[in-house]
Amino acid sequence: MAISPDLSRRSALIASNREDYSDIYSSLTFPTPAAAADARRRREELLTAIATGGRSLCGDTKIFSGELSPGCRLCSEGAWSCLFINGRCNRSCVYCPTSQDDIGLPTTNNVTFRSPADYVTYLEQFDFRGMSLSGGEPTLTPGRCLAFLRAAKRKFGPGLHSWLYTNGSLITDELLKTLRDAGLDEIRFDIGALDYSLEKAKLAVDIIPTVTVEIPVLPEKIDLLKEKLRAMADYGIKHLNLHQLRLTPYNHKRLKGRSYTYLHGEKMTVLESELAALELLRYGIAEKIDLSVNYCSFVFKHRYQRAAARGRGAPFFRQSWEDVTEAGYLRSLQVQDTVQQVRTLVGRLEAAGISGDKWVPSRSGEALNIAADVPLLLASPTMKLQVSYAETPVREHLSYRYPFRDIRLPSGRRIVSERLPARSLLLDAEEAARYLKWLNDPVHSVLPADSEKLMSLFGYEKLPDGLQDYF
């Protein structure tokens, strides 16, 4: 399941990590080639054992037993909005990636919301089917949590799955019932914040419909966590989500002195944390513990959640001949040739009965916008194919340089989605034929490796499969 970036990709990641962590990089321990090979073998052993009773999604980056929680299913589909309701926490967990010291404004994907009505409009405009309240610690601002939750549930009812993340420190029976009555569907406890006590999660089992435990995995806690798996099942907790421990400029001082091995990547992570998470998943399956265990890897979050955000506004811009790729880019194809050759191609498409919404001539007549599955076997050898990719993120402010969709909020504020060019490449007739053949291949695996030009498009189409490499 592991991917192996080529040497140039590795070098780029190492250089980026060295720059991001310049103050501490020299003090970190990375795996030797031999240690990395041993760790890969161990991971493959665990994945083989897990495969007997487990499953995976999203290119084998999300590995789990049993059933995912409703919120996790929506996350894997990119249909979820995480609202950071505040930015302050009352605990000091060793693994926390940020300072968590400012209440701030409710924020999601760098867009702030001062009113619940504005946030509800955002949910509606982008067809979200799930929302979560995170922090900080959401229960430090219970009134704010309830206001946003009630507004969303009034609008969408059971059509919107809602959940709340908490360290549990301020959870009471009364608060749980208030959250339930406001429409909360799921609650997730970070038990690491309370010395791995399950009492607050146990309190929620008979009140909130779905109770989940969600924690970063500290490898030195693996024996304790194996015991907790059984206790969770006994208490009626149905789901356990495990995250890989990540190194940040904020938490490195707290992690300093622990005998962790760090991994290079888009962000630096802890090798032993991933192996411990997979061991817990294997253990739960082998021991037939009635608890769904989900390893939510860092690469899943980095790849799939980013892809969903990247293409959030695509429905506002997508033309009938365009597609949204797995990587979250809006793809546009345009045939370029002489006016006569374009007319000839149009005539052949009409004669073949191919729907007119899959091909649209340009005003000049020298180009034809086409869908990827339109056959071009009879196109001329002088044809060229312009391949373009765009991002369509949601923002608070415009660049005023590209097409945009303006979304007015009830408060009078606006948010925007902008079509930002990401990559454009002109292919000759031979390259176009190979590229289109790949796009229409049901397996859709690997672009022709003998063409660096075509290979450069892979990342705009597909997300890499498998867990991160160890180096």
Side-chain angles (χ1 to χ4, degrees):
M1 290 184 181
I3 60 172
S4 297
D6 59 27
L7 291 179
S8 62
R9 176 63 173 157
R10 282 192 180 190
S11 297
L13 289 172
I14 291 172
S16 175
N17 292 160
R18 183 180 285 114
E19 180 179 355
D20 290 344
Y21 299 87
S22 57
D23 293 342
I24 60 169
Y25 186 87
S26 61
S27 68
L28 301 175
T29 299
F30 298 98
T32 64
D38 287 343
R40 290 189 203 99
R41 282 191 290 270
R42 175 56 183 158
R43 181 169 66 181
E44 288 304 318
E45 292 173 358
L46 289 168
L47 292 172
T48 299
I50 289 167
T52 62
R55 291 183 288 162
S56 66
L57 287 173
C58 301
D60 296 330
T61 63
K62 178 174 280 293
I63 304 165
F64 59 97
S65 63
E67 298 292 334
L68 291 175
S69 76
C72 287
R73 289 199 299 270
L74 290 168
C75 176
S76 69
E77 297 167 8
W80 150 68
S81 168
C82 181
L83 183 67
F84 294 89
I85 200 74
N86 65 47
R88 180 175 293 168
C89 189
N90 60 342
R91 309 299 293 179
S92 299
C93 300
V94 65
Y95 42 73
C96 188
T98 59
S99 60
Q100 305 286 316
D101 57 5
D102 178 27
I103 289 291
L105 292 172
T107 304
T108 182
N109 288 117
N110 298 314
V111 178
T112 58
F113 295 94
R114 294 179 180 273
S115 76
D118 282 0
Y119 183 60
V120 168
T121 298
Y122 168 78
L123 294 174
E124 182 177 30
Q125 287 292 314
F126 295 97
D127 294 324
F128 287 105
R129 291 181 284 117
M131 65 165 283
S132 66
L133 300 172
S134 186
E137 170 51 43
T139 59
L140 283 171
T141 53
R144 185 184 285 187
C145 287
L146 290 166
F148 278 79
L149 176 61
R150 285 169 176 152
K153 281 303 202 174
R154 278 196 303 268
K155 176 66 177 180
F156 303 106
L160 182 82
H161 183 79
S162 61
W163 66 101
L164 178 141
Y165 297 91
T166 179
N167 61 39
S169 61
L170 302 177
I171 289 294
T172 64
D173 182 84
E174 180 182 2
L175 179 56
L176 288 169
K177 290 176 179 175
T178 303
L179 288 167
R180 176 201 61 196
D181 294 344
L184 190 69
D185 300 297
E186 182 177 348
I187 189 166
R188 300 186 178 187
F189 289 89
D190 179 1
I191 61 173
L194 296 181
D195 198 26
Y196 296 92
S197 169
L198 289 169
E199 291 308 307
K200 294 302 181 78
K202 180 182 177 183
L203 182 65
V205 167
D206 293 327
I207 301 173
I208 306 297
T210 300
V211 178
T212 300
V213 168
E214 182 160 328
I215 51 172
V217 179
L218 295 177
E220 63 269 26
K221 298 292 185 180
I222 189 167
D223 291 335
L224 172 64
L225 289 173
K226 285 180 177 179
E227 297 175 9
K228 295 294 179 179
L229 258 64
R230 292 190 180 279
M232 289 178 211
D234 291 342
Y235 290 158
I237 297 166
K238 296 299 182 184
H239 305 280
L240 169 62
N241 293 339
L242 302 172
H243 293 282
Q244 186 176 16
L245 191 60
R246 180 165 70 90
L247 181 71
T248 73
Y250 175 75
N251 68 14
H252 77 88
K253 291 181 180 179
R254 297 182 180 186
L255 297 180
K256 187 177 180 180
R258 297 177 182 240
S259 55
Y260 293 158
T261 306
Y262 294 96
L263 298 169
H264 293 99
E266 280 77 8
K267 301 293 182 182
M268 284 205 287
T269 53
V270 174
L271 186 155
E272 293 86 359
S273 181
E274 177 164 272
L275 294 180
L278 293 173
E279 169 58 23
L280 288 168
L281 181 48
R282 182 212 64 81
Y283 177 81
I285 292 171
E287 296 296 315
K288 296 181 170 57
I289 298 173
D290 186 20
L291 177 72
S292 296
V293 182
N294 164 35
Y295 175 45
C296 185
S297 67
F298 169 75
V299 291
F300 161 76
K301 291 180 284 188
H302 184 78
R303 294 172 192 166
Y304 284 84
Q305 292 178 2
R306 282 167 59 93
R310 185 184 297 129
R312 185 69 64 202
F316 295 144
F317 300 98
R318 182 181 176 184
Q319 301 295 320
S320 59
W321 62 85
E322 295 180 319
D323 290 301
V324 180
T325 70
E326 178 186 272
Y329 293 95
L330 190 58
R331 182 211 309 127
S332 185
L333 305 178
Q334 186 180 76
V335 175
Q336 298 177 359
D337 212 326
T338 65
V339 172
Q340 184 56 48
Q341 290 292 355
V342 170
R343 285 176 180 170
T344 299
L345 177 56
V346 167
R348 289 170 177 160
L349 295 174
E350 288 175 335
I354 297 173
S355 173
D357 64 355
K358 291 200 168 190
W359 50 269
V360 177
S362 68
R363 291 182 179 180
S364 69
E366 296 179 336
L368 185 70
N369 299 301
I370 64 162
D373 58 352
V374 170
L376 292 176
L377 298 178
L378 300 179
S380 79
T382 59
M383 178 198 85
K384 295 187 183 298
L385 184 69
Q386 186 78 43
V387 181
S388 301
Y389 297 94
E391 299 181 47
T392 56
V394 181
R395 297 178 165 186
E396 285 193 334
H397 305 291
L398 277 172
S399 69
Y400 294 99
R401 296 174 59 193
Y402 305 108
F404 66 93
R405 167 68 182 269
D406 196 38
I407 300 164
R408 293 290 175 177
L409 302 176
S411 66
R413 289 181 61 231
R414 71 174 183 175
I415 54 177
V416 295
S417 181
E418 201 166 11
R419 180 169 178 149
L420 309 174
R423 180 72 193 279
S424 186
L425 193 63
L426 190 64
L427 305 179
D428 63 28
E430 180 185 352
E431 293 167 333
R434 299 170 76 190
Y435 171 72
L436 291 171
K437 181 180 179 181
W438 176 73
L439 283 186
N440 290 291
D441 179 358
V443 178
H444 203 64
S445 54
V446 180
L447 275 164
D450 59 343
S451 172
E452 184 176 342
K453 191 175 183 181
L454 292 181
M455 286 296 292
S456 71
L457 300 178
F458 187 86
Y460 295 92
E461 290 285 340
K462 293 279 289 179
L463 294 171
D465 288 342
L467 300 174
Q468 71 182 105
D469 196 15
Y470 290 167
F471 65 98

